[in-house]
Amino acid sequence: MEERFEQSGTRERNLGMELIRVTEAAALSAGRWMGKGNKEMVDQAAVDAMRHAVDGVDMDGVVVIGEGEKDEAPMLYIGEHVGNGHKPEVDVAVDPVDGTRLLALGLPGALAVVATAERGTMYSAPPGVFYMEKIAVGPAMRNAIDINAPVAVNLDRIARAREARIDDLTVAILDRPRHSEIIRQVREVGARIRLIGDGDVAAAIQAAMEDYRGIDVLLGIGGAPEAVLAAAAIKCIGGEIQCKIWPRNDQEREKLKADGIDLSQVYRTDDLVKGNDVAFAATGITTGELLDGVQYFGWGARTSSVMMRSRSGTVRYIQARHKWRKSSQAQ
């Protein structure tokens, strides 16, 4: 476990190590529903396990990214207090299953995700904001991108920053009809494309990681909550994500404008997560390129997780063996 010593000589806790236990619990529970086609049970199993585990964490947390409003989500709803009430006071972002459909269908890449930052420093999307346009890259390209610039310009700048050619680049894009024009523009300039079914949090992280070269940039429109979770991880890595609120139709556009929301505003990493002490944890549920999924055995299970921390820039990969108790119930 990473430790730092302040001038007083006291040890500084690494909250990320405790968050790993939360994502492991969600992954172990939800993983039982892999491929069974029941998205509701996938979500319920993950939420129940995560809720139970997070209550044991030494923190006074408030959920700012969760399963929805209180009336719609009985647990892990926005505004819910989590943790045991001890300091530190933090904002909490959760996605018990990033890639619910992937897990329900037995497809690769589903994750359990949690992030924290100092209280009041995480962006909480206003009511009615569901999607954001996004671009995410790693540290070497963080000053090269501009979400308002054409696709061709951004890819040229990214290639130059990488000392590469555009046709060396791999662009991750969610496989959605709304992205047909972005896909056309990427193909036109010659970059390679990796279409992803779900889970743009993992793709944004992969684009930002210096030791992962499978994806160079994430482009496209995805969920607003996922943008904040990705920003928390990217804040730890040192990359950059830029986002703009994306209305789904003219009616939603007019409603957001009437509510005083500036649709031209660009939200950068430090706008989405302002805190300087950010912790991020994720555990694989189904095997993907970022993390292996849960493996079950008669004696227990194995999990694969990643933990990040902004203050140190540390990224830890954690392989864990979980032995079932004598009662045959999973931990």
Side-chain angles (χ1 to χ4, degrees), residues 61-75:
V62 175
V63 176
V64 297
I65 302 293
E67 291 296 282
E69 302 298 330
K70 183 176 182 178
D71 292 340
E72 300 174 3
M75 294 185 294

Side-chain angles (χ1 to χ4, degrees), residues 47-70:
V47 169
D48 289 347
M50 183 172 279
R51 182 66 175 82
H52 178 74
V54 79
D55 271 348
V57 176
D58 280 334
M59 67 179 182
D60 180 1
V62 175
V63 176
V64 297
I65 302 293
E67 291 296 282
E69 302 298 330
K70 183 176 182 178

Side-chain angles (χ1 to χ4, degrees), residues 306-317:
V306 62
M307 186 277 289
M308 307 178 188
R309 192 182 187 206
S310 66
R311 291 184 67 174
S312 62
T314 302
V315 177
R316 282 189 171 85
Y317 293 94

